[in-house]
Amino acid sequence: MDFQLVAGRPDTIDPLVFITTFEHNNVFYKAALAETISWEGLLTGTYDVLLQSAKGTQRLTLVKEAGHWRAGEEVEQIGVIRQDIVDLLGEAIGKVSK
């Protein structure tokens, strides 16, 4: 899984934002992930994700609980995301954030 970081200003620490592509079960995916920031400007520990494939587009939030990633339950989430895809995205977050 390759990724590309999206950087901001050189004199500030930016939230983690990156794009990645991967193939899973013969389906090619493109994903944009951004660390979620509260209205107060604080990091929330979750990630907003836009996931595209030949099967369509999904918008979701990734939440980490007890070392395991899951999809959020927000109303505006598009479609139902499979846990194996969530696990792959969580693995990418772990690799990029190191």
Side-chain angles (χ1 to χ4, degrees), residues 13-82:
I13 296 175
D14 292 324
L16 184 61
V17 177
F18 67 99
I19 57 174
T20 186
T21 59
F22 60 96
E23 190 169 329
H24 181 66
N25 291 339
N26 295 321
V27 177
F28 180 74
Y29 292 91
K30 297 183 291 184
L33 296 94
E35 199 168 4
T36 310
I37 303 170
S38 71
W39 285 106
E40 295 81 27
L42 303 173
L43 298 177
T44 65
T46 63
Y47 285 81
D48 287 323
V49 180
L50 183 63
L51 181 67
Q52 294 182 321
S53 72
K55 295 182 175 188
T57 299
Q58 293 177 297
R59 209 235 24 101
L60 63 139
T61 299
L62 293 181
V63 179
K64 191 171 190 178
E65 293 177 341
H68 182 73
W69 289 96
R70 68 170 179 82
E73 300 171 1
E74 63 274 6
V75 174
E76 65 273 9
Q77 186 163 304
I78 303 170
V80 176
I81 187 76
R82 292 178 26 185

Side-chain angles (χ1 to χ4, degrees), residues 1 62 68-70 82-93:
M1 181 179 298
L62 293 181
H68 182 73
W69 289 96
R70 68 170 179 82
R82 292 178 26 185
Q83 185 60 44
D84 55 344
I85 300 297
V86 169
D87 292 340
L88 286 170
L89 293 169
E91 187 178 312
I93 291 169

